[in-house]
Amino acid sequence: QEFESLNPMVTTTVASFYTYGFVGRGLVSIDAQGQWYPQMAKAIPSLENGGAKIATVDGQKTIQATWEINEKAQWNDGTPITCADFQFTRNVADNDNVSVGSKEYFTVVKTVEWDPATPQKCLFTYDKLRWDFYQLGHFFPLPKHLEEPIFEKHKNEKQGYEKNSNYVTNPTLPGLYNGPYQVAEVKLGSHVVFVPNSKYYGEAPKISKILLK
């Protein structure tokens, strides 16, 4: 099976998630034992550690959690990943004209707020009182600095954003990815080539080239 898109927002198939796994990272992930661990986040907020709290917003009880992004986390063009990227991603997912694989992956977060002085410390307010608020394994951010102009231009067209996204029109563009690898070549119906991302904040990958056929 071939992946449908390298845009993490519109992926639905196992092939797509597998392909994106080389190049994308989120705040958290889950290990082979079923335990959640921080990936791009510094730590997982909880009621016990004080990173999350029950709050009343607009008369409704909900969860508010503070997510801190690793200060070294950046897109593969060197642009830092900030709360603004997560806010932008959430807003794109909430647009009725964008075909999202599962909107709830993103819209469980109602608002993303931050102090301009600390752009990587994000306050997530959720849509309701959730016990699983920390399970954001599919909330992969989009690079606002590259994708926002396209979204603003096409947001009123049905499927306008995803058809014109850089992930479709220019999938090797630096800045689209934040994982250990970046896309060097895409030949639809044939293969994708991955090479190490020199801007990756985590452990450097040990394989110099991957050809996914």
Side-chain angles (χ1 to χ4, degrees), residues 114-183:
W114 65 94
D115 186 328
T118 53
Q120 292 177 308
K121 186 176 182 180
C122 323
L123 179 66
F124 283 21
T125 298
Y126 291 77
D127 59 348
K128 59 185 178 182
L129 197 60
R130 290 179 171 272
W131 67 270
D132 58 351
F133 63 89
Y134 59 92
Q135 296 181 9
L136 298 175
H138 291 291
F139 194 158
F140 297 108
L142 298 173
K144 179 181 179 180
H145 66 294
L146 295 178
E147 294 291 282
E148 185 175 44
I150 299 169
F151 174 68
E152 289 299 322
K153 182 178 180 180
H154 298 283
K155 65 183 180 182
N156 295 320
E157 307 165 25
K158 200 69 175 174
Q159 298 185 336
Y161 163 66
E162 55 266 46
K163 289 178 180 178
N164 293 280
S165 164
N166 283 304
Y167 291 99
V168 173
T169 63
N170 193 7
T172 61
L173 179 68
L176 291 178
Y177 311 106
N178 61 42
Y181 290 91
Q182 59 189 23
V183 179

Side-chain angles (χ1 to χ4, degrees), residues 2-3 171-172 183-193 212-213:
E2 185 169 41
F3 67 91
T172 61
V183 179
E185 181 185 356
V186 176
K187 186 171 178 59
L188 294 178
S190 176
H191 63 267
V192 184
V193 176
L212 181 63
K213 303 196 74 158

Side-chain angles (χ1 to χ4, degrees), residues 107-119:
T107 58
V108 293
V109 179
K110 190 173 182 179
T111 61
V112 179
E113 301 170 277
W114 65 94
D115 186 328
T118 53

Side-chain angles (χ1 to χ4, degrees), residues 30 52 66 85-86 88 119 124-125 143 175 192 196 208:
I30 193 167
T66 300
D85 292 309
F86 284 92
F88 168 68
F124 283 21
T125 298
V192 184
S208 61

Side-chain angles (χ1 to χ4, degrees), residues 62 70 80 91 97 104 125 150 157 200 204:
T62 186
N70 187 316
N91 291 343
N97 290 319
E104 193 176 355
T125 298
I150 299 169
E157 307 165 25
Y200 183 52

